[in-house]
Amino acid sequence: MKYVFTSHSFLFKELLPKLDSLGCFVEKKRKFRLLNNKFGSFASSYKASDAHATVVKCSHLARDMDYEYFAVQNLGDCWTDTKIVENFDKYGNASPEKCVGGVGASYTNFVYRWRPEPSV
């Protein structure tokens, strides 16, 4: 586990994910899905008042599984695909009310990319 030292306390670095938010996009059902790998779900613990917590949970799981790109759909399901970079925006932008707090609703992907660490 990585730590960041401040004069007052230690902070867990992993609680502060470095993500690029790519936006909110439409997803389709069944054979027309763009993202086919559901790698986790935190929908049962989703709270609208703290939607960012769901994003953080999916981002940690994505990082641990070496997924650079991932999406949060259905208020807490974590999705990715081998062609996510080429396809995530294929069906266009979703309406703003479908992605509140960085979390996509049903058949709506809020897509993220882990920000690469700067080279030293």
Side-chain angles (χ1 to χ4, degrees):
M1 189 170 287
K2 298 177 184 175
Y3 299 95
V4 177
F5 181 73
T6 66
S7 60
H8 300 289
S9 65
F10 284 97
L11 299 174
F12 291 102
K13 184 178 181 184
E14 67 182 78
L15 294 178
L16 308 168
K18 295 180 180 177
L19 300 173
D20 286 328
S21 170
L22 302 179
C24 182
F25 301 94
V26 174
E27 177 62 285
K28 300 285 183 175
K29 296 180 182 181
R30 296 182 181 84
K31 68 179 182 174
F32 299 106
R33 287 192 66 83
L34 298 173
L35 306 183
N36 292 291
N37 181 8
K38 181 178 173 183
F39 61 93
S41 181
F42 300 99
S44 64
S45 62
Y46 173 80
K47 292 184 176 105
S49 61
D50 191 15
H52 183 70
T54 302
V55 175
V56 170
K57 290 174 187 176
C58 280
S59 69
H60 287 171
L61 192 54
R63 179 204 57 209
D64 293 347
M65 298 177 88
D66 290 327
Y67 297 139
E68 182 179 359
Y69 292 83
F70 69 95
V72 182
Q73 182 188 126
N74 198 32
L75 303 178
D77 293 340
C78 314
W79 290 83
T80 195
D81 195 86
T82 56
K83 296 184 179 184
I84 189 172
V85 176
E86 297 89 9
N87 291 335
F88 71 85
D89 58 354
K90 181 177 180 179
Y91 297 134
N93 292 319
S95 58
E97 68 273 1
K98 296 292 259 173
C99 279
V100 177
V103 175
S106 182
Y107 296 105
T108 309
N109 294 316
F110 202 108
V111 181
Y112 293 92
R113 176 181 183 228
W114 270 100
R115 212 178 293 155
E117 292 291 327
S119 56
V120 179

